[in-house]
Amino acid sequence: MTHQNNKQIIGLFGFGVVGEGLFHVLQHSHTTNAEVRKICILDPKKERSIPKTHFTVNADDILNDPEINLVVELISDSEEAFHIVSRALQKGKSVVSGNKKMLARHLPELIELQKETGSALLYDASACGSIPVIRNLEEYYDNDLLLSITGILNGSSNFVLSKVFNENKSYPESVKEAQRLGFAEADPTLDMGGWDSLYKVVILALHGFGTIVNPDEVFISGISNLQAGDIRFAKEKGYRLKLVAQATKINGKSFNLMVMPKMVNEDEYIYNVENEYNGVIIEGSFYEKQFMFGKGAGGHPTGSSVLSDITARMHGYRYEYKKRKYFSIPEHTNDVVVKVYLRFKNLLDFSHFEFETIDEKLSSRNYNYVIGTIKLSNLIHIRKLIQTLDVFLAFFDIPEKRSGAGSPKSEAL
Ligand SMILES: NC(=O)c1ccc[n+]([C@@H]2O[C@H](COP(=O)([O-])OP(=O)(O)OC[C@H]3O[C@@H](n4cnc5c(N)ncnc54)[C@H](OP(=O)(O)O)[C@@H]3O)[C@@H](O)[C@H]2O)c1
């Protein structure tokens, strides 16, 4: 089949950071046989860098155009995105999306829709921007040998942590700088609270292990409560704090997901991942650790990843969700014990945490912490409450005690 036969006539939804980035990247790609036919946006009055004739505010101009065979969905509203993606698949169009929240919240329906309609949905840009981690997990890494996927999956919070650690800036000051440079949204909760990393690790777990995990059953804790005392503690002990998402096999039958700041040792690959960069470590039984590093966000890096999906569709590529088909799928569990640093202001806040062991304690007028082990199931239980407390949590790279039976080997990174 020639390229001409496979020409991708694109209907693009969204012309923001990524949509416009993709448009530029496409103009520089001489090998992609694709043309953007129409772009659907929200605000027709907004100034655009290309002529107004490219745009529409009517989604049907794209969805009902029989010549458009590929919908690229890059909008900011996840529920509207789900609606657009579902309709496009039902109309037999291929879809490329970068919307991790939409994907993580609707994976079962989206997999089913692809099965029913025969249409394909690709979304490599949804996790880690330009780093091709999803397709690698889908195609390369064998389920039974894959032990863990760990990484810094969010560029905005990593940028803030770099400013705080390397330039001694305060947390609020660093968030403002990230917003000014376009690395963080006006509402930083999604990035700093760990939500963005959560949605990404849910997608990675599907392609790595084959299991669909409900994001509401995963423990997340972000960096929004980071204070000077936490930074001082980490620096004095030789750690750097990084917001880490991890999917870790416990044994052949189960695995755990979590998103939490981590006290990172200098011998860990992610120790030197700074600013808006992402880094992902994939660990297997026989190859030990492999490390992928690159720009995790931004118009052009993410646009390149979208372009890669467009080209993949040109060659007929689709996710087969191989791990779900050919392997016994491990179960998601929170039955693990983690070693954490918990900084708290008052004893009432501390009383909600049921520690298994306490290894170290410090109490002073304004700064108290405890280091010890705690069941993740306890943390999940109080996940919502924790967000209202004046506490900061981080975990350590010390082999975790699995509370589940039959844990032959610790795979903690
Ligand atoms: N920014 C990144 O680095 C990055 C990286 C990876 C993935 N992503 C994902 O990519 C997607 C887009 O992100 P972004 O940063 O490009 O967002 P953005 O800069 O806020 O742009 C969003 C675009 O969506 C349009 N839009 C919003 N609601 C719409 C609707 N109902 N119908 C049609 N168009 C609509 C907006 O239209 P107007 O222009 O008219 O307002 C705007 O052009 C998100 O899902 C995001 O999570 C972003």
mmCIF file with all atom_site columns, all heavy atoms in Angstrom, residues 62-85:
data_model
loop_
_atom_site.group_PDB
_atom_site.id
_atom_site.type_symbol
_atom_site.label_atom_id
_atom_site.label_alt_id
_atom_site.label_comp_id
_atom_site.label_asym_id
_atom_site.label_entity_id
_atom_site.label_seq_id
_atom_site.pdbx_PDB_ins_code
_atom_site.Cartn_x
_atom_site.Cartn_y
_atom_site.Cartn_z
_atom_site.occupancy
_atom_site.B_iso_or_equiv
_atom_site.pdbx_formal_charge
_atom_site.auth_seq_id
_atom_site.auth_comp_id
_atom_site.auth_asym_id
_atom_site.auth_atom_id
_atom_site.pdbx_PDB_model_num
ATOM 1   N N   . ILE A 1 62 ? -16.184 18.331 11.903 1.00 0.00 ? 62 ILE A N   1
ATOM 2   C CA  . ILE A 1 62 ? -15.140 17.302 11.822 1.00 0.00 ? 62 ILE A CA  1
ATOM 3   C C   . ILE A 1 62 ? -15.768 15.910 11.860 1.00 0.00 ? 62 ILE A C   1
ATOM 4   O O   . ILE A 1 62 ? -15.506 15.072 10.996 1.00 0.00 ? 62 ILE A O   1
ATOM 5   C CB  . ILE A 1 62 ? -14.129 17.480 12.986 1.00 0.00 ? 62 ILE A CB  1
ATOM 6   C CG1 . ILE A 1 62 ? -13.272 18.741 12.746 1.00 0.00 ? 62 ILE A CG1 1
ATOM 7   C CG2 . ILE A 1 62 ? -13.248 16.244 13.137 1.00 0.00 ? 62 ILE A CG2 1
ATOM 8   C CD1 . ILE A 1 62 ? -12.310 19.086 13.853 1.00 0.00 ? 62 ILE A CD1 1
ATOM 9   N N   . LEU A 1 63 ? -16.623 15.699 12.848 1.00 0.00 ? 63 LEU A N   1
ATOM 10  C CA  . LEU A 1 63 ? -17.141 14.338 13.070 1.00 0.00 ? 63 LEU A CA  1
ATOM 11  C C   . LEU A 1 63 ? -18.017 13.851 11.911 1.00 0.00 ? 63 LEU A C   1
ATOM 12  O O   . LEU A 1 63 ? -18.066 12.653 11.623 1.00 0.00 ? 63 LEU A O   1
ATOM 13  C CB  . LEU A 1 63 ? -17.896 14.273 14.403 1.00 0.00 ? 63 LEU A CB  1
ATOM 14  C CG  . LEU A 1 63 ? -16.999 14.541 15.626 1.00 0.00 ? 63 LEU A CG  1
ATOM 15  C CD1 . LEU A 1 63 ? -17.825 14.686 16.895 1.00 0.00 ? 63 LEU A CD1 1
ATOM 16  C CD2 . LEU A 1 63 ? -15.963 13.428 15.806 1.00 0.00 ? 63 LEU A CD2 1
ATOM 17  N N   . ASN A 1 64 ? -18.708 14.787 11.217 1.00 0.00 ? 64 ASN A N   1
ATOM 18  C CA  . ASN A 1 64 ? -19.573 14.365 10.102 1.00 0.00 ? 64 ASN A CA  1
ATOM 19  C C   . ASN A 1 64 ? -18.900 14.478 8.736  1.00 0.00 ? 64 ASN A C   1
ATOM 20  O O   . ASN A 1 64 ? -19.555 14.256 7.719  1.00 0.00 ? 64 ASN A O   1
ATOM 21  C CB  . ASN A 1 64 ? -20.867 15.202 10.088 1.00 0.00 ? 64 ASN A CB  1
ATOM 22  C CG  . ASN A 1 64 ? -21.763 14.851 11.262 1.00 0.00 ? 64 ASN A CG  1
ATOM 23  O OD1 . ASN A 1 64 ? -21.626 13.791 11.846 1.00 0.00 ? 64 ASN A OD1 1
ATOM 24  N ND2 . ASN A 1 64 ? -22.662 15.766 11.629 1.00 0.00 ? 64 ASN A ND2 1
ATOM 25  N N   . ASP A 1 65 ? -17.618 14.830 8.723  1.00 0.00 ? 65 ASP A N   1
ATOM 26  C CA  . ASP A 1 65 ? -16.915 14.929 7.432  1.00 0.00 ? 65 ASP A CA  1
ATOM 27  C C   . ASP A 1 65 ? -16.372 13.541 7.069  1.00 0.00 ? 65 ASP A C   1
ATOM 28  O O   . ASP A 1 65 ? -15.432 13.045 7.718  1.00 0.00 ? 65 ASP A O   1
ATOM 29  C CB  . ASP A 1 65 ? -15.770 15.954 7.545  1.00 0.00 ? 65 ASP A CB  1
ATOM 30  C CG  . ASP A 1 65 ? -15.042 16.151 6.221  1.00 0.00 ? 65 ASP A CG  1
ATOM 31  O OD1 . ASP A 1 65 ? -15.133 15.262 5.338  1.00 0.00 ? 65 ASP A OD1 1
ATOM 32  O OD2 . ASP A 1 65 ? -14.365 17.184 6.076  1.00 0.00 ? 65 ASP A OD2 1
ATOM 33  N N   . PRO A 1 66 ? -16.924 12.884 6.042  1.00 0.00 ? 66 PRO A N   1
ATOM 34  C CA  . PRO A 1 66 ? -16.501 11.516 5.729  1.00 0.00 ? 66 PRO A CA  1
ATOM 35  C C   . PRO A 1 66 ? -15.050 11.426 5.252  1.00 0.00 ? 66 PRO A C   1
ATOM 36  O O   . PRO A 1 66 ? -14.446 10.347 5.308  1.00 0.00 ? 66 PRO A O   1
ATOM 37  C CB  . PRO A 1 66 ? -17.476 11.093 4.619  1.00 0.00 ? 66 PRO A CB  1
ATOM 38  C CG  . PRO A 1 66 ? -18.042 12.349 4.063  1.00 0.00 ? 66 PRO A CG  1
ATOM 39  C CD  . PRO A 1 66 ? -17.946 13.406 5.117  1.00 0.00 ? 66 PRO A CD  1
ATOM 40  N N   . GLU A 1 67 ? -14.487 12.560 4.790  1.00 0.00 ? 67 GLU A N   1
ATOM 41  C CA  . GLU A 1 67 ? -13.097 12.507 4.308  1.00 0.00 ? 67 GLU A CA  1
ATOM 42  C C   . GLU A 1 67 ? -12.093 12.510 5.457  1.00 0.00 ? 67 GLU A C   1
ATOM 43  O O   . GLU A 1 67 ? -10.946 12.095 5.297  1.00 0.00 ? 67 GLU A O   1
ATOM 44  C CB  . GLU A 1 67 ? -12.825 13.690 3.377  1.00 0.00 ? 67 GLU A CB  1
ATOM 45  C CG  . GLU A 1 67 ? -13.461 13.480 2.020  1.00 0.00 ? 67 GLU A CG  1
ATOM 46  C CD  . GLU A 1 67 ? -13.025 14.522 1.023  1.00 0.00 ? 67 GLU A CD  1
ATOM 47  O OE1 . GLU A 1 67 ? -12.099 15.297 1.317  1.00 0.00 ? 67 GLU A OE1 1
ATOM 48  O OE2 . GLU A 1 67 ? -13.645 14.564 -0.049 1.00 0.00 ? 67 GLU A OE2 1
ATOM 49  N N   . ILE A 1 68 ? -12.515 13.014 6.607  1.00 0.00 ? 68 ILE A N   1
ATOM 50  C CA  . ILE A 1 68 ? -11.596 13.036 7.770  1.00 0.00 ? 68 ILE A CA  1
ATOM 51  C C   . ILE A 1 68 ? -11.532 11.628 8.348  1.00 0.00 ? 68 ILE A C   1
ATOM 52  O O   . ILE A 1 68 ? -12.533 11.077 8.793  1.00 0.00 ? 68 ILE A O   1
ATOM 53  C CB  . ILE A 1 68 ? -12.073 14.070 8.828  1.00 0.00 ? 68 ILE A CB  1
ATOM 54  C CG1 . ILE A 1 68 ? -11.875 15.478 8.273  1.00 0.00 ? 68 ILE A CG1 1
ATOM 55  C CG2 . ILE A 1 68 ? -11.334 13.872 10.152 1.00 0.00 ? 68 ILE A CG2 1
ATOM 56  C CD1 . ILE A 1 68 ? -12.293 16.612 9.183  1.00 0.00 ? 68 ILE A CD1 1
ATOM 57  N N   . ASN A 1 69 ? -10.325 11.023 8.257  1.00 0.00 ? 69 ASN A N   1
ATOM 58  C CA  . ASN A 1 69 ? -10.212 9.645  8.752  1.00 0.00 ? 69 ASN A CA  1
ATOM 59  C C   . ASN A 1 69 ? -9.479  9.565  10.086 1.00 0.00 ? 69 ASN A C   1
ATOM 60  O O   . ASN A 1 69 ? -9.365  8.499  10.681 1.00 0.00 ? 69 ASN A O   1
ATOM 61  C CB  . ASN A 1 69 ? -9.551  8.729  7.704  1.00 0.00 ? 69 ASN A CB  1
ATOM 62  C CG  . ASN A 1 69 ? -8.216  9.281  7.231  1.00 0.00 ? 69 ASN A CG  1
ATOM 63  O OD1 . ASN A 1 69 ? -7.682  10.226 7.814  1.00 0.00 ? 69 ASN A OD1 1
ATOM 64  N ND2 . ASN A 1 69 ? -7.682  8.700  6.168  1.00 0.00 ? 69 ASN A ND2 1
ATOM 65  N N   . LEU A 1 70 ? -8.957  10.701 10.579 1.00 0.00 ? 70 LEU A N   1
ATOM 66  C CA  . LEU A 1 70 ? -8.238  10.682 11.855 1.00 0.00 ? 70 LEU A CA  1
ATOM 67  C C   . LEU A 1 70 ? -8.607  11.902 12.688 1.00 0.00 ? 70 LEU A C   1
ATOM 68  O O   . LEU A 1 70 ? -8.450  13.046 12.234 1.00 0.00 ? 70 LEU A O   1
ATOM 69  C CB  . LEU A 1 70 ? -6.725  10.680 11.596 1.00 0.00 ? 70 LEU A CB  1
ATOM 70  C CG  . LEU A 1 70 ? -5.839  10.724 12.833 1.00 0.00 ? 70 LEU A CG  1
ATOM 71  C CD1 . LEU A 1 70 ? -5.953  9.437  13.637 1.00 0.00 ? 70 LEU A CD1 1
ATOM 72  C CD2 . LEU A 1 70 ? -4.387  10.941 12.456 1.00 0.00 ? 70 LEU A CD2 1
ATOM 73  N N   . VAL A 1 71 ? -9.109  11.668 13.894 1.00 0.00 ? 71 VAL A N   1
ATOM 74  C CA  . VAL A 1 71 ? -9.413  12.767 14.811 1.00 0.00 ? 71 VAL A CA  1
ATOM 75  C C   . VAL A 1 71 ? -8.283  12.848 15.827 1.00 0.00 ? 71 VAL A C   1
ATOM 76  O O   . VAL A 1 71 ? -7.915  11.840 16.435 1.00 0.00 ? 71 VAL A O   1
ATOM 77  C CB  . VAL A 1 71 ? -10.774 12.527 15.514 1.00 0.00 ? 71 VAL A CB  1
ATOM 78  C CG1 . VAL A 1 71 ? -10.924 13.413 16.741 1.00 0.00 ? 71 VAL A CG1 1
ATOM 79  C CG2 . VAL A 1 71 ? -11.921 12.784 14.539 1.00 0.00 ? 71 VAL A CG2 1
ATOM 80  N N   . VAL A 1 72 ? -7.697  14.043 15.960 1.00 0.00 ? 72 VAL A N   1
ATOM 81  C CA  . VAL A 1 72 ? -6.668  14.250 16.986 1.00 0.00 ? 72 VAL A CA  1
ATOM 82  C C   . VAL A 1 72 ? -7.283  15.120 18.070 1.00 0.00 ? 72 VAL A C   1
ATOM 83  O O   . VAL A 1 72 ? -7.658  16.264 17.814 1.00 0.00 ? 72 VAL A O   1
ATOM 84  C CB  . VAL A 1 72 ? -5.401  14.910 16.384 1.00 0.00 ? 72 VAL A CB  1
ATOM 85  C CG1 . VAL A 1 72 ? -4.379  15.176 17.480 1.00 0.00 ? 72 VAL A CG1 1
ATOM 86  C CG2 . VAL A 1 72 ? -4.793  14.007 15.316 1.00 0.00 ? 72 VAL A CG2 1
ATOM 87  N N   . GLU A 1 73 ? -7.427  14.545 19.256 1.00 0.00 ? 73 GLU A N   1
ATOM 88  C CA  . GLU A 1 73 ? -8.134  15.231 20.349 1.00 0.00 ? 73 GLU A CA  1
ATOM 89  C C   . GLU A 1 73 ? -7.121  15.787 21.333 1.00 0.00 ? 73 GLU A C   1
ATOM 90  O O   . GLU A 1 73 ? -6.439  15.029 22.028 1.00 0.00 ? 73 GLU A O   1
ATOM 91  C CB  . GLU A 1 73 ? -9.097  14.231 21.008 1.00 0.00 ? 73 GLU A CB  1
ATOM 92  C CG  . GLU A 1 73 ? -9.894  14.776 22.158 1.00 0.00 ? 73 GLU A CG  1
ATOM 93  C CD  . GLU A 1 73 ? -9.084  14.906 23.441 1.00 0.00 ? 73 GLU A CD  1
ATOM 94  O OE1 . GLU A 1 73 ? -8.535  13.907 23.924 1.00 0.00 ? 73 GLU A OE1 1
ATOM 95  O OE2 . GLU A 1 73 ? -8.991  16.035 23.957 1.00 0.00 ? 73 GLU A OE2 1
ATOM 96  N N   . LEU A 1 74 ? -7.024  17.130 21.386 1.00 0.00 ? 74 LEU A N   1
ATOM 97  C CA  . LEU A 1 74 ? -6.066  17.780 22.289 1.00 0.00 ? 74 LEU A CA  1
ATOM 98  C C   . LEU A 1 74 ? -6.737  18.951 23.010 1.00 0.00 ? 74 LEU A C   1
ATOM 99  O O   . LEU A 1 74 ? -6.270  20.098 22.945 1.00 0.00 ? 74 LEU A O   1
ATOM 100 C CB  . LEU A 1 74 ? -4.847  18.278 21.489 1.00 0.00 ? 74 LEU A CB  1
ATOM 101 C CG  . LEU A 1 74 ? -4.021  17.176 20.807 1.00 0.00 ? 74 LEU A CG  1
ATOM 102 C CD1 . LEU A 1 74 ? -3.010  17.761 19.838 1.00 0.00 ? 74 LEU A CD1 1
ATOM 103 C CD2 . LEU A 1 74 ? -3.306  16.316 21.844 1.00 0.00 ? 74 LEU A CD2 1
ATOM 104 N N   . ILE A 1 75 ? -7.872  18.658 23.657 1.00 0.00 ? 75 ILE A N   1
ATOM 105 C CA  . ILE A 1 75 ? -8.557  19.730 24.371 1.00 0.00 ? 75 ILE A CA  1
ATOM 106 C C   . ILE A 1 75 ? -8.340  19.565 25.879 1.00 0.00 ? 75 ILE A C   1
ATOM 107 O O   . ILE A 1 75 ? -7.900  18.517 26.356 1.00 0.00 ? 75 ILE A O   1
ATOM 108 C CB  . ILE A 1 75 ? -10.065 19.815 24.029 1.00 0.00 ? 75 ILE A CB  1
ATOM 109 C CG1 . ILE A 1 75 ? -10.855 18.658 24.641 1.00 0.00 ? 75 ILE A CG1 1
ATOM 110 C CG2 . ILE A 1 75 ? -10.279 19.877 22.528 1.00 0.00 ? 75 ILE A CG2 1
ATOM 111 C CD1 . ILE A 1 75 ? -12.361 18.842 24.540 1.00 0.00 ? 75 ILE A CD1 1
ATOM 112 N N   . SER A 1 76 ? -8.717  20.617 26.617 1.00 0.00 ? 76 SER A N   1
ATOM 113 C CA  . SER A 1 76 ? -8.430  20.608 28.045 1.00 0.00 ? 76 SER A CA  1
ATOM 114 C C   . SER A 1 76 ? -9.566  20.010 28.888 1.00 0.00 ? 76 SER A C   1
ATOM 115 O O   . SER A 1 76 ? -9.345  19.661 30.043 1.00 0.00 ? 76 SER A O   1
ATOM 116 C CB  . SER A 1 76 ? -8.124  22.030 28.497 1.00 0.00 ? 76 SER A CB  1
ATOM 117 O OG  . SER A 1 76 ? -8.936  22.945 27.784 1.00 0.00 ? 76 SER A OG  1
ATOM 118 N N   . ASP A 1 77 ? -10.765 19.871 28.310 1.00 0.00 ? 77 ASP A N   1
ATOM 119 C CA  . ASP A 1 77 ? -11.923 19.427 29.075 1.00 0.00 ? 77 ASP A CA  1
ATOM 120 C C   . ASP A 1 77 ? -12.077 17.904 28.910 1.00 0.00 ? 77 ASP A C   1
ATOM 121 O O   . ASP A 1 77 ? -12.412 17.413 27.828 1.00 0.00 ? 77 ASP A O   1
ATOM 122 C CB  . ASP A 1 77 ? -13.144 20.189 28.509 1.00 0.00 ? 77 ASP A CB  1
ATOM 123 C CG  . ASP A 1 77 ? -14.461 19.742 29.107 1.00 0.00 ? 77 ASP A CG  1
ATOM 124 O OD1 . ASP A 1 77 ? -14.540 18.631 29.635 1.00 0.00 ? 77 ASP A OD1 1
ATOM 125 O OD2 . ASP A 1 77 ? -15.424 20.538 29.014 1.00 0.00 ? 77 ASP A OD2 1
ATOM 126 N N   . SER A 1 78 ? -11.844 17.151 30.008 1.00 0.00 ? 78 SER A N   1
ATOM 127 C CA  . SER A 1 78 ? -11.753 15.692 29.849 1.00 0.00 ? 78 SER A CA  1
ATOM 128 C C   . SER A 1 78 ? -13.107 15.042 29.552 1.00 0.00 ? 78 SER A C   1
ATOM 129 O O   . SER A 1 78 ? -13.164 14.051 28.816 1.00 0.00 ? 78 SER A O   1
ATOM 130 C CB  . SER A 1 78 ? -11.106 15.052 31.068 1.00 0.00 ? 78 SER A CB  1
ATOM 131 O OG  . SER A 1 78 ? -11.882 15.281 32.205 1.00 0.00 ? 78 SER A OG  1
ATOM 132 N N   . GLU A 1 79 ? -14.193 15.542 30.109 1.00 0.00 ? 79 GLU A N   1
ATOM 133 C CA  . GLU A 1 79 ? -15.488 14.907 29.839 1.00 0.00 ? 79 GLU A CA  1
ATOM 134 C C   . GLU A 1 79 ? -15.938 15.179 28.400 1.00 0.00 ? 79 GLU A C   1
ATOM 135 O O   . GLU A 1 79 ? -16.442 14.299 27.713 1.00 0.00 ? 79 GLU A O   1
ATOM 136 C CB  . GLU A 1 79 ? -16.549 15.370 30.846 1.00 0.00 ? 79 GLU A CB  1
ATOM 137 C CG  . GLU A 1 79 ? -16.465 14.611 32.167 1.00 0.00 ? 79 GLU A CG  1
ATOM 138 C CD  . GLU A 1 79 ? -16.314 13.079 32.014 1.00 0.00 ? 79 GLU A CD  1
ATOM 139 O OE1 . GLU A 1 79 ? -17.200 12.438 31.430 1.00 0.00 ? 79 GLU A OE1 1
ATOM 140 O OE2 . GLU A 1 79 ? -15.298 12.515 32.471 1.00 0.00 ? 79 GLU A OE2 1
ATOM 141 N N   . GLU A 1 80 ? -15.736 16.407 27.925 1.00 0.00 ? 80 GLU A N   1
ATOM 142 C CA  . GLU A 1 80 ? -16.051 16.732 26.540 1.00 0.00 ? 80 GLU A CA  1
ATOM 143 C C   . GLU A 1 80 ? -15.146 15.911 25.604 1.00 0.00 ? 80 GLU A C   1
ATOM 144 O O   . GLU A 1 80 ? -15.582 15.437 24.553 1.00 0.00 ? 80 GLU A O   1
ATOM 145 C CB  . GLU A 1 80 ? -15.857 18.256 26.321 1.00 0.00 ? 80 GLU A CB  1
ATOM 146 C CG  . GLU A 1 80 ? -16.335 18.796 24.988 1.00 0.00 ? 80 GLU A CG  1
ATOM 147 C CD  . GLU A 1 80 ? -17.782 18.445 24.641 1.00 0.00 ? 80 GLU A CD  1
ATOM 148 O OE1 . GLU A 1 80 ? -18.607 18.321 25.555 1.00 0.00 ? 80 GLU A OE1 1
ATOM 149 O OE2 . GLU A 1 80 ? -18.048 18.279 23.428 1.00 0.00 ? 80 GLU A OE2 1
ATOM 150 N N   . ALA A 1 81 ? -13.895 15.724 26.025 1.00 0.00 ? 81 ALA A N   1
ATOM 151 C CA  . ALA A 1 81 ? -12.957 14.923 25.221 1.00 0.00 ? 81 ALA A CA  1
ATOM 152 C C   . ALA A 1 81 ? -13.476 13.493 25.073 1.00 0.00 ? 81 ALA A C   1
ATOM 153 O O   . ALA A 1 81 ? -13.426 12.910 23.988 1.00 0.00 ? 81 ALA A O   1
ATOM 154 C CB  . ALA A 1 81 ? -11.580 14.913 25.878 1.00 0.00 ? 81 ALA A CB  1
ATOM 155 N N   . PHE A 1 82 ? -14.005 12.923 26.158 1.00 0.00 ? 82 PHE A N   1
ATOM 156 C CA  . PHE A 1 82 ? -14.535 11.554 26.102 1.00 0.00 ? 82 PHE A CA  1
ATOM 157 C C   . PHE A 1 82 ? -15.688 11.468 25.100 1.00 0.00 ? 82 PHE A C   1
ATOM 158 O O   . PHE A 1 82 ? -15.782 10.525 24.311 1.00 0.00 ? 82 PHE A O   1
ATOM 159 C CB  . PHE A 1 82 ? -14.989 11.110 27.497 1.00 0.00 ? 82 PHE A CB  1
ATOM 160 C CG  . PHE A 1 82 ? -15.585 9.728  27.499 1.00 0.00 ? 82 PHE A CG  1
ATOM 161 C CD1 . PHE A 1 82 ? -14.840 8.624  27.081 1.00 0.00 ? 82 PHE A CD1 1
ATOM 162 C CD2 . PHE A 1 82 ? -16.894 9.523  27.911 1.00 0.00 ? 82 PHE A CD2 1
ATOM 163 C CE1 . PHE A 1 82 ? -15.396 7.348  27.066 1.00 0.00 ? 82 PHE A CE1 1
ATOM 164 C CE2 . PHE A 1 82 ? -17.452 8.251  27.890 1.00 0.00 ? 82 PHE A CE2 1
ATOM 165 C CZ  . PHE A 1 82 ? -16.702 7.161  27.469 1.00 0.00 ? 82 PHE A CZ  1
ATOM 166 N N   . HIS A 1 83 ? -16.526 12.495 25.124 1.00 0.00 ? 83 HIS A N   1
ATOM 167 C CA  . HIS A 1 83 ? -17.665 12.553 24.223 1.00 0.00 ? 83 HIS A CA  1
ATOM 168 C C   . HIS A 1 83 ? -17.186 12.585 22.761 1.00 0.00 ? 83 HIS A C   1
ATOM 169 O O   . HIS A 1 83 ? -17.670 11.831 21.904 1.00 0.00 ? 83 HIS A O   1
ATOM 170 C CB  . HIS A 1 83 ? -18.452 13.824 24.586 1.00 0.00 ? 83 HIS A CB  1
ATOM 171 C CG  . HIS A 1 83 ? -19.779 13.928 23.944 1.00 0.00 ? 83 HIS A CG  1
ATOM 172 N ND1 . HIS A 1 83 ? -20.762 12.980 24.125 1.00 0.00 ? 83 HIS A ND1 1
ATOM 173 C CD2 . HIS A 1 83 ? -20.293 14.858 23.109 1.00 0.00 ? 83 HIS A CD2 1
ATOM 174 C CE1 . HIS A 1 83 ? -21.807 13.327 23.423 1.00 0.00 ? 83 HIS A CE1 1
ATOM 175 N NE2 . HIS A 1 83 ? -21.555 14.456 22.787 1.00 0.00 ? 83 HIS A NE2 1
ATOM 176 N N   . ILE A 1 84 ? -16.204 13.445 22.501 1.00 0.00 ? 84 ILE A N   1
ATOM 177 C CA  . ILE A 1 84 ? -15.671 13.595 21.134 1.00 0.00 ? 84 ILE A CA  1
ATOM 178 C C   . ILE A 1 84 ? -15.009 12.291 20.671 1.00 0.00 ? 84 ILE A C   1
ATOM 179 O O   . ILE A 1 84 ? -15.258 11.795 19.568 1.00 0.00 ? 84 ILE A O   1
ATOM 180 C CB  . ILE A 1 84 ? -14.646 14.762 21.078 1.00 0.00 ? 84 ILE A CB  1
ATOM 181 C CG1 . ILE A 1 84 ? -15.362 16.105 21.265 1.00 0.00 ? 84 ILE A CG1 1
ATOM 182 C CG2 . ILE A 1 84 ? -13.832 14.750 19.788 1.00 0.00 ? 84 ILE A CG2 1
ATOM 183 C CD1 . ILE A 1 84 ? -14.440 17.262 21.611 1.00 0.00 ? 84 ILE A CD1 1
ATOM 184 N N   . VAL A 1 85 ? -14.162 11.722 21.543 1.00 0.00 ? 85 VAL A N   1
ATOM 185 C CA  . VAL A 1 85 ? -13.417 10.502 21.188 1.00 0.00 ? 85 VAL A CA  1
ATOM 186 C C   . VAL A 1 85 ? -14.397 9.350  20.926 1.00 0.00 ? 85 VAL A C   1
ATOM 187 O O   . VAL A 1 85 ? -14.269 8.614  19.943 1.00 0.00 ? 85 VAL A O   1
ATOM 188 C CB  . VAL A 1 85 ? -12.405 10.150 22.308 1.00 0.00 ? 85 VAL A CB  1
ATOM 189 C CG1 . VAL A 1 85 ? -11.816 8.763  22.119 1.00 0.00 ? 85 VAL A CG1 1
ATOM 190 C CG2 . VAL A 1 85 ? -11.287 11.197 22.353 1.00 0.00 ? 85 VAL A CG2 1
#
